[in-house]
Amino acid sequence: MPLLDNLKTAEDLRQQIAAAARDRRLALNLTQKALSDRSGVSLATLRRFEGGGPASLETVLALAEALGALDGFGALFPLPEAQTLDDLDAPAPRRRASGRRAQ
């Protein structure tokens, strides 16, 4: 079922991002040490990340920048698209959320 291919957990995405970063590093013919030096990320952290371990957002962004792969991060949280014509006439989005939590 192709629709189920889009249902991924955060863990699945983390593993996919780590594998993509490793594959890009190798395609650019960079060693882990060279990428560590270029990105400012410690070699141990880079090895842990590529091995499937956790990494902070700052680490992932530093690696993406060093690998020339920052473009996709700008589209990470797109605004919701209009579903109806009434949505198109809706006022501009709020700049702050109310104190109430979404249900």
Side-chain angles (χ1 to χ4, degrees):
M1 296 185 144
L3 288 177
L4 294 180
D5 291 341
N6 291 330
L7 298 177
K8 295 184 181 193
T9 65
E11 176 63 21
D12 293 338
L13 288 174
R14 188 173 60 77
Q15 294 290 333
Q16 183 179 347
I17 291 167
R22 181 193 64 238
D23 292 346
R24 185 166 177 92
R25 175 182 62 78
L26 292 172
L28 293 171
N29 200 27
L30 291 171
T31 64
Q32 286 181 327
K33 175 75 169 104
L35 180 56
S36 171
D37 292 344
R38 183 184 285 192
S39 66
V41 172
S42 75
L43 185 55
T45 298
L46 174 58
R47 286 182 176 155
R48 184 175 53 248
F49 172 64
E50 285 191 357
S56 70
L57 178 60
E58 289 79 12
T59 294
V60 174
L61 290 173
L63 292 171
E65 183 175 32
L67 292 169
L70 276 177
D71 293 344
F73 287 94
L76 191 58
F77 296 106
L79 292 174
E81 293 182 19
Q83 300 295 316
T84 67
L85 290 176
D86 289 335
D87 292 344
L88 294 175
D89 289 334
R94 294 177 51 144
R95 301 313 274 167
R96 291 181 6 169
S98 67
R100 289 190 240 161
R101 289 202 150 150
Q103 300 294 325

